[in-house]
Amino acid sequence: ALFLSDAIKNKSQQSIFLLVWIGVVLAVMSSSRTQTLRYVLSIFPALAMMNARTLSGWFSLAQKKKVLIGMAGVLIVAAGFINLTSIEVKQSASLKENNPEIRGLASAIHLNTPAGGAVGNYRLSNWNPRNVVYFYADRYVAAPIADERQLEEAMRRNPETAWLTPTDEFFNLDKQLPVYLIQSEGKYAYFTSRANKENVRRHAPGDKLLDVPR
């Protein structure tokens, strides 16, 4: 508000520049489908300058020294709290929970894809959600297969492999191939072949796992 007032009343080029800097980035990113905090990091220098100038005008030199010590203490406590507790630092501008679907599937993926093995990938991209699965489930996602016949052949060769696919794709597959749903979370379905149904490992008590009989 102070910088906006300065820009309007005094025609300050510095205030106008900082406001445009921040406004353009926020306007572009607010209209974007992907709203991730790291995409707006470029406005942080402008915000820092605005905050510094504003705070500087509020305090005398003696007060600034005391405030600086207090601010340093707050930063240290905040950093310790974030790193030493289970608090989650949101990375999305919408403040939604990070990757809730994969987090919901992580336990099942960890149980049913052996360490050193790979989660099958049917009609997902080469990278998404590979990194997320690796982070939460400690399992690697293989390169994608897009053809239904390829998937059928792969399941015939390795019926014990578990696969990840968009949920709507799974329901299409369910009409054509002998697949067995291990768990579904939102837009993702984790499945295996029906031949491997008896080998599916179940969750520990308290974990969320969807069991759809086939």
Side-chain angles (χ1 to χ4, degrees), residues 16-206:
I16 293 172
F17 173 70
L18 291 173
L19 290 170
V20 170
W21 180 350
I22 295 170
V24 169
V25 175
L26 286 181
V28 171
M29 294 314 305
S30 295
S31 62
S32 172
R33 182 177 179 180
T34 302
Q35 297 180 338
T36 306
L37 183 60
R38 64 178 178 272
Y39 293 164
V40 296
L41 287 178
S42 60
I43 70 172
F44 280 28
L47 292 173
M49 285 186 278
M50 293 175 74
N51 284 322
R53 179 177 168 187
T54 301
L55 290 174
S56 179
W58 287 352
F59 302 111
S60 66
L61 181 60
Q63 290 174 323
K64 288 177 185 177
K65 294 180 179 179
K66 294 179 181 180
V67 169
L68 181 61
I69 295 173
M71 291 176 64
V74 169
L75 288 173
I76 293 172
V77 171
F81 186 71
I82 291 171
N83 286 281
L84 299 177
T85 69
S86 59
I87 187 174
E88 179 180 352
V89 181
K90 302 296 184 180
Q91 297 186 27
S92 173
S94 62
L95 298 184
K96 295 178 180 178
E97 184 181 52
N98 299 332
N99 306 294
E101 296 96 345
I102 296 302
R103 292 174 68 164
L105 290 169
S107 176
I109 293 173
H110 188 82
L111 283 172
N112 291 283
T113 297
V119 180
N121 180 345
Y122 181 67
R123 293 194 175 180
L124 292 169
S125 75
N126 201 33
W127 299 108
N128 186 25
R130 175 181 290 172
N131 293 338
V132 181
V133 172
Y134 192 73
F135 181 82
Y136 286 113
D138 193 28
R139 296 295 184 265
Y140 181 77
V141 177
I145 289 178
D147 184 77
E148 189 176 304
R149 297 303 101 190
Q150 285 182 290
L151 175 63
E152 183 177 22
E153 179 60 27
M155 288 198 301
R156 185 180 296 112
R157 290 196 312 267
N158 299 294
E160 71 281 359
T161 299
W163 298 75
L164 196 62
T165 191
T167 301
D168 56 348
E169 291 290 350
F170 172 80
F171 289 116
N172 291 332
L173 288 173
D174 196 29
K175 301 172 184 176
Q176 307 294 331
L177 299 178
V179 293
Y180 176 70
L181 180 63
I182 299 174
Q183 184 176 346
S184 175
E185 291 284 344
K187 61 184 178 180
Y188 296 114
Y190 182 59
F191 70 96
T192 188
S193 66
R194 288 188 194 173
N196 191 45
K197 175 181 176 180
E198 300 303 322
N199 297 321
V200 171
R201 298 179 63 188
R202 292 307 179 191
H203 55 65

